[in-house]
Amino acid sequence: MPFKHPLLQVTAVVLIVLLSALLNLGRSKAVPQSICTSYDHPNPLAVMFPNNATGVLNATLVIIPISLDVARRLIPPQYRILEGAYRHLLPEFPQGMYPVLVQAAHDHDIQLRAYGITLDDFSRVGFEFPFLDLLGDGYSSFRWAPAQLISATNTIAVEGSKAYGTIVSPAEYEPLCDAYHALANGATYFKGSSLTSSDFVELEMAQLPRSVLNPYPLELFRNITNQPTFANATTCDNMIRMFHTSMSVGEFAPVSVRGRVRAKTFPFEGAQKEWSNVYGVQVATPFVENNYLDCQSMQGYDGSGGPEGSLSAI
Ligand SMILES: *[C@@H]1O[C@H](CO)[C@@H](O)[C@H](O)[C@H]1NC(C)=O
Ligand SMILES: *[C@@H]1O[C@H](CO)[C@@H](O)[C@H](O)[C@H]1NC(C)=O
Ligand SMILES: *[C@@H]1O[C@H](CO)[C@@H](O)[C@H](O)[C@H]1NC(C)=O
Ligand SMILES: *[C@@H]1O[C@H](CO)[C@@H](O)[C@H](O)[C@H]1NC(C)=O
């Protein structure tokens, strides 16, 4: 959730230009950007959507099944859980359970091209709660993302997320400039650690052997990651994630993974939690992001599951 939309938020753009000018000044004096080179592919959408915020998210997306009782305790009571919506996509999902998404991602090559604005790469991780009836209409799915750990080096990303009412922990990451790195045992590793508290989220995931089926189809992740997101519900974030571009085929096709998530962060209370044998996918997707929208305006939006149906491929 990096920055406000220019046409709606002119003052915000001025602020961003100033901030990015400052950041660029700061950078030229301090660490050259080349120290942080990423394996991530360049943003293919900046040219197509020069007036919009675009970028690339290279992510590990993991589903953690929790009981509906626990989900009901964690999710603010005013938002109904649209169980029918996720059962439609996942008929075999265990009874009495709810799918929480862990999203561990590297945000890369973010641009608002027409304004000559670029944002430094950053990492972020958090628990996200999809299929929530924010508007009380019984069908539009929204995703509650109440807390994030975000690279402390990217002030704009930290402040941009806080503006949604998100609890943001400025954090440091391993690896520094990528979505994950390989361990000696062949698994991938990613960890975000708060610089201001003991909060952290750590993922160690291994590629699924061919003989093991991922219980979650890619379509589930596409569906969840395209739901409009909110934190305190003052405004909503519409991130359009494209799963069918050249970035996710052939050598870079989504990889099914299974592994372990350890974490201590909101809204899970108390000591550190650990979930093993959880399944997910590693996939990089380009995105167009429309920030700080009126949530009500997203009612029936394709990505939210309106009566009309499906998100068209761009
Ligand atoms: C995603 O990140 C991994 C780890 O750095 C990298 O190997 C892969 O090439 C990246 N994928 C894309 C499409 O950027
Ligand atoms: C780009 O931004 C405009 C203005 O906010 C918006 O109407 C349009 O839907 C955005 N494009 C995409 C692909 O989201
Ligand atoms: C939500 O968070 C924003 C940004 O911190 C704040 O301006 C707004 O007042 C908050 N709204 C509610 C209902 O808490
Ligand atoms: C997500 O799934 C729901 C059904 O559970 C559907 O109504 C909605 O259109 C889907 N959204 C997308 C973006 O495919």
Side-chain angles (χ1 to χ4, degrees):
M1 305 175 182
F3 39 65
K4 306 212 178 204
H5 194 278
L7 300 182
L8 303 175
Q9 303 282 353
V10 177
T11 51
V13 165
V14 173
L15 184 72
I16 286 158
V17 172
L18 283 174
L19 275 173
S20 56
L22 283 172
L23 285 182
N24 284 326
L25 275 175
R27 188 201 296 145
S28 58
K29 280 202 219 99
V31 193
Q33 201 184 19
S34 57
I35 286 190
C36 213
T37 46
S38 172
Y39 286 105
D40 293 345
H41 290 198
N43 170 356
L45 298 180
V47 173
M48 282 163 80
F49 303 100
N51 292 301
N52 295 69
T54 56
V56 170
L57 263 183
N58 193 341
T60 303
L61 305 170
V62 176
I63 296 291
I64 296 186
I66 64 170
S67 78
L68 270 166
D69 290 345
V70 171
R72 199 56 285 170
R73 275 205 305 277
L74 298 176
I75 297 165
Q78 64 271 37
Y79 310 129
R80 267 212 302 145
I81 295 172
L82 294 168
E83 191 179 348
Y86 64 81
R87 297 228 166 260
H88 180 79
L89 294 162
L90 275 182
E92 319 266 279
F93 197 66
Q95 286 304 315
M97 302 298 272
Y98 167 85
V100 177
L101 176 73
V102 181
Q103 171 149 229
H106 188 243
D107 261 72
H108 176 69
D109 196 7
I110 304 156
Q111 301 188 36
L112 224 172
R113 196 181 184 90
Y115 299 82
I117 296 174
T118 59
L119 201 67
D120 284 348
D121 287 6
F122 64 96
S123 297
R124 40 108 151 201
V125 65
F127 291 100
E128 306 184 1
F129 298 77
F131 303 104
L132 299 187
D133 190 0
L134 174 67
L135 303 177
D137 66 7
Y139 66 83
S140 300
S141 288
F142 287 74
R143 184 161 44 110
W144 180 52
Q148 287 185 319
L149 282 82
I150 297 182
S151 301
T153 46
N154 195 321
T155 319
I156 295 176
V158 168
E159 293 305 319
S161 182
K162 278 185 184 166
Y164 280 96
T166 315
I167 301 167
V168 180
S169 284
E172 61 182 10
Y173 278 89
E174 183 188 341
L176 211 52
C177 313
D178 277 298
Y180 41 84
H181 66 70
L183 298 175
N185 66 8
T188 65
Y189 185 82
F190 172 97
K191 184 178 187 181
S193 313
S194 170
L195 295 180
T196 52
S197 71
S198 56
D199 283 14
F200 75 95
V201 181
E202 181 194 63
L203 287 78
E204 186 176 329
M205 307 298 297
Q207 185 166 353
L208 271 190
R210 269 186 205 287
S211 56
V212 181
L213 197 68
N214 191 331
Y216 312 120
L218 189 64
E219 182 55 26
L220 176 77
F221 295 101
R222 188 185 79 100
N223 189 293
I224 290 178
T225 56
N226 279 285
Q227 292 173 18
T229 316
F230 68 99
N232 76 3
T234 303
T235 57
C236 277
D237 180 42
N238 167 225
M239 187 180 250
I240 302 165
R241 298 264 284 268
M242 295 171 198
F243 279 71
H244 302 297
T245 71
S246 58
M247 197 173 288
S248 339
V249 295
E251 186 187 346
F252 300 102
V255 176
S256 284
V257 291
R258 175 174 59 188
R260 163 175 75 69
V261 175
R262 295 192 320 144
K264 179 181 169 325
T265 192
F266 191 83
F268 292 97
E269 303 288 348
Q272 134 189 344
K273 299 256 181 301
E274 176 167 334
W275 295 272
S276 23
N277 262 317
V278 283
Y279 291 78
V281 71
Q282 285 174 331
V283 60
T285 51
F287 66 82
V288 181
E289 185 169 24
N290 299 299
N291 275 287
Y292 310 112
L293 301 180
D294 170 18
C295 297
Q296 192 73 48
S297 75
M298 305 296 291
Q299 179 170 34
Y301 161 72
D302 274 356
S304 75
E308 299 299 317
S310 75
L311 191 75
S312 52
I314 297 180

